[in-house]
Amino acid sequence: MEELKIDISETNRGKEQIIINKKYKYNYSYTKKNKSKVYRCTEYKTLNKCKSYIIFNDEKEILKYDGVHNHFEQEFNAALSLTKYRIKKEIKKSSIPFNIKPKRVFNQISQDIGFICPEFKSIKSQIIRDINKQLPPNISNFEEIPEKHYLYITKQNENFMIFKNQNVIIFQSPFQAFLFKKYCDDLFVDGTFYVAPDFSYQVFITRNFVPELNEFYTTSFSILRNKEQETYKTIFEVIKSNCDITKDNGKTYLILYNIENWNYYNNIEHITNNASESFNNYLSGLFSKKPTYFRLIYTLNNDVSLYPDTYERRMLGVWNKQKRKTLTKTNKIKNIIESYKKMESFLISNERNRSHIAGLWFECLINLNNKIN
């Protein structure tokens, strides 16, 4: 018997498939009484009615092989099946499916196979389907949010989720709590709708200014079910408790949780939400559409896990952020208008009245005026 190169693959329905010499495919047909398995050429059920077959015992040793085919070799189809199967196996091995880059997986597998291989675009949709099958089930309402999950633990093996009730779930790593407490004199907060999961109202964010670095750090994330004042009150009470802040360090911020007093820069006279808006825009750029609950938490967790190292290195002066590309005034104005167009579309889709939209564009004019001057 000629020496055969045997590879294991599987069909689209998940059944075992044998590939011989990287040219011919055989699908499982049936099992005999002696437990040997018969595989027939995939062209057996086509007009070719190819009669080639191979029989294995339960230890995958060849018992009988008929290698006579009445059709051309199927090198490309064999490559396609084997590539899909190995990519699927690689995806299943990943404990964090959010981290999988389809093109990177394809490049690795196609290089290992070492023979004619399909183009990435021909199997991209298949790879994405395999990745999606490995993701946690989507969350459709607050009641389905789990109390425990591996995404609630940071890379430093510390708790990320600190509180959950029927209206809000709050995330703050121990390092974020340290920053919040140390730099609580410079607090900025804001909410964003664009990255909020479909079942929630908004993602609410607190940021603190670190004067030594002239830098902002995000110090908590909350996913809200509604915009009730009691919900916001809960957020701040939980965060202050988690950061062991018993009083407001002589400040009177968050007076009655009035939004007008939320954002200040060392004193109540400077009220702005630009610091939070910049991070909101950064988050929006990470997702092409509204993220699922678990994808959002994974992204936030990943981001927060970098904070201790970047903070320490910047404090030591061994690493500085690269200077951002300077935008012309025209580009700045264009970007502002585009962002307000998106917000207008959101308000219209949520059936807000004309007064809301008029107020939005009035705010845009004020913003433009500040940038120009």
Side-chain angles (χ1 to χ4, degrees):
M1 183 184 293
E2 64 176 300
E3 185 177 347
L4 302 178
K5 166 64 176 172
I6 298 175
D7 290 292
I8 306 296
S9 181
E10 67 178 31
T11 65
N12 290 334
R13 296 184 177 182
K15 293 186 178 180
E16 190 176 49
Q17 185 178 77
I18 303 296
I19 296 177
I20 303 293
N21 294 335
K22 299 179 180 177
K23 296 177 180 178
Y24 299 105
K25 300 192 297 181
Y26 294 77
N27 289 343
Y28 169 75
S29 182
Y30 64 93
T31 301
K32 292 185 173 184
K33 290 183 178 179
N34 62 359
K35 295 185 179 180
S36 60
K37 293 183 177 181
V38 179
Y39 296 79
R40 293 190 180 277
C41 176
T42 53
E43 293 294 306
Y44 174 71
K45 291 186 177 181
T46 68
L47 293 176
N48 290 322
K49 296 192 180 298
C50 180
K51 295 183 179 180
S52 177
Y53 65 90
I54 188 167
I55 302 175
F56 294 95
N57 61 17
D58 54 1
E59 295 180 357
K60 275 293 184 288
E61 295 173 334
I62 301 174
L63 300 179
K64 193 173 182 180
Y65 173 57
D66 181 348
V68 179
H69 296 268
N70 63 356
H71 55 87
F72 293 112
E73 296 175 351
Q74 299 175 318
E75 190 173 9
F76 179 78
N77 286 339
L80 182 62
S81 294
L82 195 55
T83 304
K84 285 182 178 180
Y85 174 66
R86 291 192 177 177
I87 288 174
K88 191 174 183 178
K89 276 185 65 178
E90 191 67 26
I91 290 171
K92 285 183 176 179
K93 286 194 297 185
S94 175
S95 59
I96 306 178
F98 300 103
N99 236 358
I100 298 173
K101 306 295 182 187
K103 190 67 166 70
R104 188 181 300 168
V105 175
F106 172 81
N107 290 341
Q108 179 184 340
I109 298 300
S110 59
Q111 187 175 0
D112 291 343
I113 289 176
F115 67 105
I116 183 172
C117 195
E119 293 183 4
F120 172 69
K121 63 182 180 181
S122 67
I123 61 172
K124 180 180 178 181
S125 59
Q126 177 68 47
I127 297 174
I128 293 173
R129 281 198 298 272
D130 289 337
I131 291 174
N132 289 338
K133 288 178 182 177
Q134 295 298 109
L135 299 179
N138 197 9
I139 299 294
S140 59
N141 56 62
F142 250 78
E143 286 69 27
E144 293 179 3
I145 296 177
E147 298 286 343
K148 295 182 179 180
H149 197 273
Y150 70 88
L151 291 176
Y152 295 168
I153 304 297
T154 66
K155 289 182 180 178
Q156 288 79 21
N157 201 30
E158 298 171 327
N159 289 330
F160 185 38
M161 194 270 277
I162 61 170
F163 179 84
K164 175 184 176 293
N165 67 11
Q166 70 273 19
N167 293 319
V168 63
I169 180 167
I170 306 172
F171 298 89
Q172 185 180 58
S173 71
F175 188 75
Q176 284 180 301
F178 158 76
L179 292 175
F180 188 96
K181 182 175 183 178
K182 183 173 182 179
Y183 301 104
C184 61
D185 281 350
D186 300 303
L187 174 67
F188 298 79
V189 304
D190 196 24
T192 178
F193 306 99
Y194 303 114
V195 299
D198 287 332
F199 65 87
S200 64
Y201 173 71
Q202 71 172 184
V203 174
F204 189 76
I205 298 164
T206 64
R207 304 198 81 200
N208 292 72
F209 182 69
V210 180
E212 300 97 320
L213 304 176
N214 194 31
E215 185 71 41
F216 292 93
Y217 275 86
T218 304
T219 49
S220 76
F221 306 95
S222 303
I223 300 177
L224 283 65
R225 185 177 196 168
N226 54 52
K227 59 175 182 178
E228 300 297 327
Q229 184 161 321
E230 193 63 32
T231 303
Y232 293 111
K233 182 176 180 179
T234 299
I235 292 171
F236 289 117
E237 292 298 337
V238 169
I239 291 174
K240 287 164 66 177
S241 174
N242 188 58
C243 299
D244 195 27
I245 297 176
T246 55
K247 59 181 181 178
D248 294 341
N249 296 343
K251 298 284 184 179
T252 56
Y253 68 91
L254 305 183
I255 305 169
L256 299 178
Y257 304 92
N258 188 335
I259 191 170
E260 293 180 358
N261 300 320
W262 281 1
N263 302 314
Y264 62 89
Y265 180 73
N266 241 349
N267 61 67
I268 206 71
E269 296 173 3
H270 182 79
I271 300 174
T272 178
N273 68 346
N274 290 346
S276 301
E277 279 294 338
S278 64
F279 187 75
N280 293 347
N281 292 335
Y282 161 73
L283 282 180
S284 299
L286 296 179
F287 307 104
S288 58
K289 58 182 181 180
K290 274 182 174 286
T292 63
Y293 171 76
F294 288 113
R295 186 172 290 280
L296 175 65
I297 301 309
Y298 167 75
T299 303
L300 298 179
N301 191 337
N302 227 25
D303 199 67
V304 165
S305 295
L306 301 175
Y307 287 5
D309 181 58
T310 60
Y311 175 83
E312 182 179 0
R313 292 173 68 185
R314 287 174 185 171
M315 286 300 244
L316 293 173
V318 297
W319 180 68
N320 291 315
K321 291 179 69 175
Q322 291 183 347
K323 290 185 178 179
R324 296 178 180 176
K325 183 179 178 181
T326 304
L327 293 175
T328 64
K329 251 181 192 179
T330 303
N331 287 334
K332 288 179 179 178
I333 292 171
K334 184 178 178 180
N335 290 343
I336 291 171
I337 293 173
E338 286 300 318
S339 66
Y340 276 88
K341 282 182 179 178
K342 288 182 180 179
M343 286 188 272
E344 181 189 46
S345 297
F346 178 84
L347 292 177
I348 292 172
S349 65
N350 283 271
E351 299 181 350
R352 299 295 176 90
N353 58 39
R354 290 183 180 180
S355 63
H356 285 102
I357 297 173
L360 176 72
W361 285 108
F362 181 74
E363 180 182 306
C364 177
L365 289 173
I366 295 174
N367 206 346
L368 288 171
N369 186 57
N370 292 335
K371 290 291 182 184
I372 293 171
N373 296 329

